[in-house]
Amino acid sequence: MGDFSKKVDAFLDAFINQNGYAKVLEGLQNTLLIAVLGLVIGILIGTVIAIVRVLPKYKVLPRVLNGICSFYVGLFRGTPIVVQLLVFYYVMLPLLGLRISSVNVAIIVFGLNSGAYISEIMRSGILSVDHGQMEAGRAVGLSYWTTMLKIVIPQAVKNILPTLGNEFIALIKETSVVSFVGATDLYIAFNMIGSNSYEFMVPYLVMALIYIVLVLLISLGIKIMERSLRKSDRRH
Amino acid sequence: MIDVINLQKSFGSNQVLKGIDIKIEKGDIMCVIGPSGSGKSTFLRCLNCMEDPTGGQIIFNGVDIADFKVDINIHRRHMGMVFQHFNLFNNKTVIQNIMLAPVLVGLQDLKKAKRQNSFIKLTNLLRSSKMKKDLVAITTSKAEIKQQAKENAMALLNRIGLADKADVYPSTLSGGQKQRVAIVRALAMNPDVILFDEPTSALDPEMVGEVLDLMKQLAKEGMTMIIVTHEMGFAREVANRVLFIDDGQILESAPPAEFFGNPKNPRLKEFLSKVL
Ligand SMILES: Nc1ncnc2c1ncn2[C@@H]1O[C@H](COP(=O)(O)OP(=O)(O)O)[C@@H](O)[C@H]1O
Ligand SMILES: [Mg+2]
């Protein structure tokens, strides 16, 4: 045990005295930023794709859009996110001559990637809403889009909220690959602390604990949100 | 008011409506009966193009709404529809259910008028002072549209004795209450005609009466109604014409006394002997 407390001391020294905590805070901030903004972008993209995919398909335009969306979803679900990050950062950006910070690249790629996953979640959410809701909207003279946005999507979102929460947790976990393009996340921060103190056991243990706490907090948040939504159902 | 000419509808190779001709006048109460699967719902749903007809015409207030080029949403505002399974908006309270369409449609029209005015103002800049065009008169505002829709919805709820349910969600209502709300939701748009697709078929027997009573009231007030129903007593009492549809065709169309008292078509005779 004496050995372990020595390791803790070494960790604390690197964490407090050698600016380790600043790096950890930066990593935590990036992790959350990438996950939250990635989720927001993903929900926007996913909703648009989902609506396109449930459009009636007698006309040409919906069919073409549907084809494009299927390709997009297949592409982003069919390749590892690390590969997407690397290709975007080391292939696309130089080819396009763009300069974007690695954190922003990560936000964009996570948004595009989760958009593909969320589109499937959102689509099943839309399909889970009784078709009579759309019919009732159309019957009073509302357009397809108005009915979709005011009636169907709100009910779909409510149905898929738990699944969206899981997607957020998955995003948090997956952010641990952004160091591949040089973004500072929790892994980079604790890795630095480990290198500084020549000791990796405690830093990685603390890193694991931070991830666990993050995920537990988010799960709790989702539960609370679900409960309050259900309450609004029963309001008298 | 509605002139249906040689209406046809196929689902793939399955021809469900095989040429339906019928005229519906203002104030008509038309009941449609027939065996299940005969195309009654499809007929009704073609009238407001919930199903797009695959042949024929539906002339509503002088416009062929079966034509893909017409903006169907404009015409649907004047045709209410009541469904077997109510289809109240689950994410809206009772009063929101009733107000939603009047408010959205009112706001849409307001926006359109404003857009028109900005266009007129812009083009007026180029016109000589004598040639200036007048603006479209805007007599209402966002707040006023909402206020009016709310007052109207409240009056409708009072009428059906559900004012105290204004702020609850539909999931807390009984079937009969849901259907009555659905009927006043259709009324809130001041439609020229209301289409009913088996409005009492999903109800517990003790709730059928309250819904039929409301429909009778509407009939008395002169509302034009087309009602697919299995309630023969109701059809006999309230309708001024009854249609028998079988196999996608109108086989008999007559005033109720004649329809029930002296049916001519053999299939109708057989049908009536089974259900009466
Ligand atoms: N959306 C649809 N797609 C394919 N077939 C349909 C559809 N709607 C109705 N049908 C078919 O049309 C026929 C008539 O149905 P319907 O109009 O609902 O009859 P009814 O209301 O008289 O019971 C049935 O054979 C049914 O299977
Ligand atoms: Mg039917």
Side-chain angles (χ1 to χ4, degrees):
Chain A
M1 243 8 239
D3 191 34
F4 186 70
S5 64
K6 225 182 276 166
K7 287 180 176 182
V8 171
D9 286 341
F11 167 73
L12 287 178
D13 182 52
F15 185 71
I16 297 167
N17 300 331
Q18 302 177 43
N19 251 354
Y21 65 92
K23 202 80 175 164
V24 168
L25 280 183
E26 189 193 342
L28 187 63
Q29 191 192 340
N30 285 343
T31 293
L32 289 175
L33 205 63
I34 295 166
V36 170
L37 292 183
L39 185 77
V40 171
I41 296 173
I43 289 177
L44 292 177
I45 295 178
T47 305
V48 172
I49 295 180
I51 294 179
V52 167
R53 299 197 82 180
V54 299
L55 275 179
K57 309 249 173 348
Y58 338 104
K59 297 204 191 120
V60 179
L61 183 65
R63 277 200 220 148
V64 172
L65 290 176
N66 192 47
I68 295 172
C69 289
S70 309
F71 176 74
Y72 176 95
V73 171
L75 188 71
F76 277 93
R77 298 200 344 156
T79 52
I81 190 156
V82 185
V83 174
Q84 292 162 21
L85 265 178
L86 292 175
V87 168
F88 201 89
Y89 194 70
Y90 292 109
V91 181
M92 303 276 283
L93 290 191
L95 281 182
L96 296 171
L98 292 173
R99 295 176 63 89
I100 306 178
S101 78
S102 52
V103 171
N104 287 344
V105 166
I107 290 172
I108 294 169
V109 171
F110 272 77
L112 293 172
N113 178 278
S114 70
Y117 284 91
I118 290 174
S119 75
E120 293 289 295
I121 299 172
M122 187 66 85
R123 181 163 78 137
S124 69
I126 290 174
L127 293 178
S128 75
V129 175
D130 176 22
H131 189 60
Q133 298 287 307
M134 171 59 81
E135 292 205 327
R138 299 308 307 276
V140 284
L142 305 183
S143 69
Y144 178 88
W145 292 102
T146 308
T147 314
M148 204 56 168
L149 294 177
K150 301 258 172 191
I151 304 296
V152 178
I153 298 277
Q155 294 181 50
V157 167
K158 202 171 125 192
N159 292 348
I160 62 172
L161 210 63
T163 324
L164 274 185
N166 290 338
E167 175 65 19
F168 184 49
I169 290 173
L171 273 178
I172 292 260
K173 293 188 294 186
E174 279 173 6
T175 53
S176 58
V177 300
V178 298
S179 56
F180 276 72
V181 292
T184 300
D185 71 336
L186 282 174
Y187 163 71
I188 293 283
F190 282 102
N191 200 43
M192 189 198 82
I193 292 175
S195 311
N196 286 349
S197 61
Y198 309 105
E199 198 292 300
F200 286 91
M201 181 194 225
V202 179
Y204 285 165
L205 185 64
V206 174
M207 178 176 78
L209 284 177
I210 291 183
Y211 272 116
I212 291 171
V213 169
L214 268 183
V215 168
L216 285 178
L217 282 178
I218 294 165
S219 308
L220 188 70
I222 295 167
K223 278 225 181 74
I224 292 172
M225 202 146 68
E226 274 182 89
R227 203 167 303 149
S228 75
L229 266 180
R230 243 180 286 137
K231 227 179 264 159
S232 80
D233 254 3
R234 275 185 267 118
R235 195 170 64 202
H236 283 269
Chain B
M1 174 178 349
I2 307 180
D3 208 345
V4 181
I5 303 167
N6 191 26
L7 170 65
Q8 297 167 40
K9 172 70 185 176
S10 305
F11 293 104
S13 61
N14 176 19
Q15 188 171 23
V16 175
L17 298 181
K18 301 176 178 168
I20 291 205
D21 291 277
I22 190 87
K23 257 195 169 64
I24 295 130
E25 305 292 346
K26 191 168 164 30
D28 269 354
I29 314 290
M30 197 167 80
C31 283
V32 179
I33 67 172
S36 94
S38 58
K40 305 181 299 294
S41 296
T42 306
F43 164 62
L44 200 72
R45 293 162 56 79
C46 279
L47 292 180
N48 65 351
C49 298
M50 294 299 282
E51 302 287 358
D52 287 314
T54 44
Q57 292 176 301
I58 295 163
I59 314 290
F60 176 55
N61 291 338
V63 180
D64 178 11
I65 59 171
D67 185 344
F68 283 125
K69 283 184 248 71
V70 305
D71 180 0
I72 190 64
N73 296 328
I74 303 268
H75 298 284
R76 282 201 187 123
R77 295 179 189 177
H78 306 289
M79 293 178 137
M81 187 168 216
V82 173
F83 302 88
Q84 184 175 353
H85 292 107
F86 330 125
N87 296 350
L88 292 178
F89 303 129
N90 295 323
N91 59 329
K92 303 281 175 194
T93 61
V94 166
I95 192 158
Q96 286 169 346
N97 260 276
I98 303 171
M99 289 168 58
L100 184 79
V103 169
L104 288 180
V105 163
L107 293 184
Q108 252 172 38
D109 290 347
L110 183 65
K111 229 194 232 162
K112 199 167 140 200
K114 283 188 178 158
R115 214 180 309 130
Q116 261 172 348
N117 276 352
S118 7
F119 181 73
I120 293 173
K121 274 184 205 157
L122 197 71
T123 49
N124 273 351
L125 292 177
L126 306 173
R127 291 195 176 94
S128 64
S129 56
K130 274 182 206 156
M131 301 282 286
K132 299 265 188 234
K133 234 173 132 184
D134 289 333
L135 297 184
V136 182
I138 294 181
T139 53
T140 181
S141 66
K142 240 177 177 174
E144 203 174 319
I145 289 171
K146 284 185 186 159
Q147 185 58 28
Q148 216 157 42
K150 190 166 185 182
E151 279 167 18
N152 188 32
M154 219 47 223
L156 287 166
L157 279 176
N158 267 317
R159 165 179 188 166
I160 56 172
L162 291 178
D164 58 323
K165 302 279 188 193
D167 295 319
V168 309
Y169 284 86
S171 59
T172 62
L173 299 181
S174 74
Q177 291 172 333
K178 281 182 193 166
Q179 195 62 302
R180 286 186 290 139
V181 171
I183 291 174
V184 295
R185 174 176 68 178
L187 276 181
M189 293 295 286
N190 286 319
D192 296 333
V193 52
I194 303 183
L195 315 173
F196 295 81
D197 192 358
E198 302 199 26
T200 57
S201 296
L203 295 176
D204 291 336
E206 75 270 20
M207 294 175 184
V208 170
E210 61 190 74
V211 171
L212 292 183
D213 283 344
L214 176 57
M215 291 168 63
K216 281 179 201 168
Q217 278 179 34
L218 298 187
K220 235 179 250 153
E221 291 162 14
M223 176 58 76
T224 312
M225 295 156 69
I226 304 173
I227 308 157
V228 174
T229 184
H230 292 296
E231 299 286 338
M232 299 301 159
F234 176 83
R236 197 193 289 248
E237 182 189 336
V238 181
N240 63 350
R241 197 143 44 118
V242 187
L243 298 187
F244 177 62
I245 293 189
D246 194 6
D247 196 23
Q249 285 167 312
I250 297 178
L251 297 187
E252 186 135 348
S253 160
E258 193 186 327
F259 186 95
F260 292 105
N262 184 18
K264 303 201 174 51
N265 184 285
R267 299 245 281 279
L268 172 58
K269 280 183 195 165
E270 190 194 328
F271 180 76
L272 287 178
S273 73
K274 272 189 229 151
V275 297
L276 287 182

